[in-house]
Amino acid sequence: LGGSRLQRFVSSKWFDILIALVVFANVIVVGAQVDVEARLGEEAVGPSFEYFEYVCTAIFTSELVLRIAAFGFRKLMAPQNRAIFALDAVLVLLAWGDIVLSVVYKVGSMGDSAFIGKLFKVIRLGRLARILRTVRLLGELRVMASMIVSSLRSIMWLALILLGVTYSFALVLTQGAAAYLNGTPE
């Protein structure tokens, strides 16, 4: 009964809404952090952004652990759940890697490297991929995304045809312009 209660809790719409709100809050805070860094420099960014990221990482880790406890790896790795679970796991691991790297960097054992600073920025901007997690909450959006992906093959062929037609007209116009400028009638 406890496992089924946990499964109902983790599968509930309210749990998904809570996690989606945390995701959106995290994206907004990342945007604010980037804005402060751009306007005032990295030194002006206070520890509040970092503390908020710790809280978000704890919430996302808890969500992942709860889902694993409720459903187990086998169900989460089923084909219909695999992509979302892999995205969740990668994002949580990246967040923890960011925390570990920033703690080690602050202690000073990694030196003052520009590469490490750029690595932090890339990892932190990778947090924005969390917004992709909310796609599973909206059935209509999922259907639209699926339809767009399935139509990519047709769009590619259409783009190639348009490119071919455009190229053909460009050749004809270039040949005509060159003939006119060179004074040779065609």
Side-chain angles (χ1 to χ4, degrees):
L1 186 65
S4 64
R5 193 178 299 162
L6 182 61
Q7 285 178 351
R8 282 194 307 268
F9 172 70
V10 171
S11 299
S12 73
K13 195 72 165 173
W14 293 108
F15 185 75
D16 285 339
I17 289 171
L18 173 70
I19 296 300
L21 288 174
V22 173
V23 167
F24 285 120
N26 186 249
V27 168
I28 289 169
V29 168
V30 168
Q33 180 180 0
V34 168
D35 181 56
V36 169
E37 284 180 6
R39 284 188 297 117
L40 305 174
E42 287 184 42
E43 300 79 28
V45 176
S48 57
F49 290 114
E50 195 171 335
Y51 298 148
F52 185 79
E53 182 57 29
Y54 294 161
V55 170
C56 288
T57 300
I59 291 171
F60 295 137
T61 302
S62 300
E63 178 211 6
L64 189 63
V65 168
L66 285 173
R67 289 191 191 279
I68 291 170
F71 300 111
F73 278 111
R74 176 168 279 158
K75 185 167 183 181
L76 292 173
M77 289 304 290
Q80 67 270 19
N81 300 326
R82 186 176 301 148
I84 293 293
F85 176 68
L87 177 67
D88 284 349
V90 166
L91 290 173
V92 167
L93 288 174
L94 279 176
W96 280 107
D98 179 36
I99 289 171
V100 168
L101 281 175
S102 66
V103 167
V104 169
Y105 185 71
K106 282 181 184 172
V107 169
S109 64
M110 293 183 93
D112 190 24
S113 170
F115 172 76
I116 298 299
K118 289 179 182 179
L119 180 64
F120 284 149
K121 287 182 182 181
V122 169
I123 290 174
R124 289 184 178 142
L125 288 178
R127 298 182 300 197
L128 298 178
R130 287 183 180 139
I131 199 107
L132 297 174
R133 298 162 41 122
T134 60
V135 170
R136 66 185 159 127
L137 303 178
L138 304 170
E140 297 86 4
L141 184 60
R142 192 174 341 135
V143 169
M144 286 174 29
S146 173
M147 290 170 41
I148 288 170
V149 168
S150 66
S151 68
L152 286 178
R153 185 172 154 215
S154 300
I155 291 172
M156 181 202 61
W157 284 113
L158 176 64
L160 284 174
I161 289 171
L162 288 174
L163 182 69
V165 169
T166 304
Y167 184 71
S168 298
F169 276 108
L171 288 177
V172 169
L173 291 174
T174 302
Q175 188 177 21
Y180 175 77
L181 292 174
N182 293 333
T184 58
E186 287 283 324

